[in-house]
Amino acid sequence: MIRLNLSREPQWLDLGHDVRVRVAPLTTGLMAAARSDPSVAGLPEQASAETIAVTMAKALARLVVLDWEGVGDGDGKPVSVTPDGIDALLDIPPLFEAFQLRYVSTGLLLEQEKNASAPSRTGTSAAATGIADPVAAPAPTVPLS
C-alpha cells in the first residue's frame, strides 16, 4: 500500500553529525527538473552508476534544500544555503548517504513498487501458465546398489 503524504509543507531531514536540512516535498516535477539539470543532462553515456547517482542527488538537492542547520564555514560560523554549499555538503560521504537514503530513495522506492508484479491471490505460481508439454509416462528410475 502506498501511503500518501498530502502535506506540501517543507520538512526537516536529519542527516546526522548535527546537520539538518529543510527540504521541499519530493514530487515528480522536482525529479524531472533534476534530470533536466545541465550537470545531469551533460553526463556522458558511459558515466558510471555512481557518478550518475551523485550528480542526480546534487541536482535534486539544489532544488529542494531550503535551509539548513549545523553547517558552517572554516571558522564554524553558520553559512547560508547556496548551490555550491549544497554540492560541498553532499561531497561528505555520510551526509550524501543519509540524503540518498532518507530523501531520494523514498521516491525511487515508489518507482520500483509500480514496476513490480502483484502477488498472485493463491500463491506465487498459481496464476502462472505452464509452458512445458505434460509428461506422458514417468521416467524409469535407476536401481541403487
Side-chain angles (χ1 to χ4, degrees):
M1 172 191 317
I2 293 177
R3 293 185 177 99
L4 296 177
N5 178 0
L6 300 177
S7 170
R8 293 292 179 211
E9 294 297 314
Q11 296 182 352
W12 285 98
L13 181 67
D14 184 6
L15 299 181
H17 304 278
D18 297 324
V19 174
R20 293 187 336 148
V21 291
R22 189 166 182 247
V23 292
L26 185 58
T27 64
T28 303
L30 286 170
M31 290 295 284
R35 285 187 189 114
S36 298
D37 185 278
S39 65
V40 176
L43 286 172
E45 284 188 34
Q46 66 274 17
S48 69
E50 293 81 12
T51 298
I52 294 168
V54 170
T55 306
M56 181 69 180
K58 286 181 177 182
L60 184 60
R62 289 190 297 268
L63 295 170
V64 303
V65 174
L66 308 171
D67 197 6
W68 56 26
E69 294 176 350
V71 179
D73 63 13
D75 297 325
K77 295 179 185 175
V79 294
S80 299
V81 175
T82 64
D84 288 340
I86 291 169
D87 286 355
L89 185 73
L90 292 184
D91 280 337
I92 301 169
L95 301 181
F96 169 79
E97 292 296 331
F99 184 76
Q100 281 285 87
L101 179 66
R102 297 180 185 141
Y103 188 77
V104 178
S105 69
T106 59
L108 298 179
L109 288 175
L110 290 176
E111 186 70 20
Q112 273 186 321
E113 284 179 13
K114 79 176 188 182
N115 290 327
S117 300
S120 176
R121 291 185 192 152
T122 57
T124 57
S125 61
T129 305
I131 58 170
D133 295 329
V135 176
T141 57
V142 176
L144 296 173
S145 37

